[in-house]
Structures are given as structure tokens and as C-alpha cells.
Amino acid sequence: KYYIILALIYFQIVYSYINTPLLNLEKINYQRGIGKGLMHLGNFYTNRNNTDSALYYYNKAKLKFYEINNSRGIVFVNYSIS
């Protein structure tokens, strides 16, 4: 029972570790960083076996990378999805 509680706490900490900088990047309008943050949220949900949420964030990241014409980011997202 304790390992489940510890795992849930761990995932909440990791989620806030990723999400908080993403909000700051949106404030300063750093588009590449926003794309990377969205991709990391996709990785987070992939590791939690939450495929729907992972694909949601991967697709948002891919759109962001298309907007700023960042081909390297697109490749990384496609690799993460595969």
C-alpha cells in the first residue's frame, strides 16, 4: 500500500516540476520552450501509461513546433509517439 502512495506523490511532484516552468514559458512567450514542455508532459503521461493524455500533449507539441518551423522538435515528438 505504501508504494502506491509514494508513487502517486512522486508523479504529482514530477508533474508540477514540468508544468510550472511551462506556465512561466507561456508568460514570456518562448515558443520553443513551450513545445519542449508540452513534449515532456507527453513523456510524463506515457510513463504513466495514459496514452490519451500523452497523445494530446504530443500533438500540441507537434503543432507548436510546426508553428515555429522547428523540424528538430517535430522529429523528437514523432519519435516519442512511435
Side-chain angles (χ1 to χ4, degrees), residues 1-18 44 48:
K1 290 182 181 183
Y2 293 112
Y3 64 90
I4 294 173
I5 294 170
L6 290 174
L8 291 173
I9 292 170
Y10 170 75
F11 283 120
Q12 283 300 110
I13 291 170
V14 171
Y15 179 80
S16 65
Y17 179 74
I18 296 169
F44 170 76
R48 292 194 71 185

Side-chain angles (χ1 to χ4, degrees), residues 49-78:
N49 293 321
N50 191 337
T51 308
D52 292 338
S53 294
L55 287 175
Y56 172 78
Y57 284 107
Y58 285 142
N59 286 325
K60 283 185 75 164
K62 191 188 297 189
L63 286 174
K64 183 59 69 179
F65 288 131
Y66 272 118
E67 285 175 13
I68 62 172
N69 199 23
N70 185 323
S71 57
R72 184 176 177 160
I74 296 166
V75 168
F76 281 126
V77 172
N78 285 334

Side-chain angles (χ1 to χ4, degrees), residues 29-44:
N29 200 26
Y30 181 51
Q31 299 299 310
R32 182 170 163 251
I34 293 169
K36 288 174 74 173
L38 291 167
M39 186 176 66
H40 290 308
L41 280 171
N43 293 339
F44 170 76

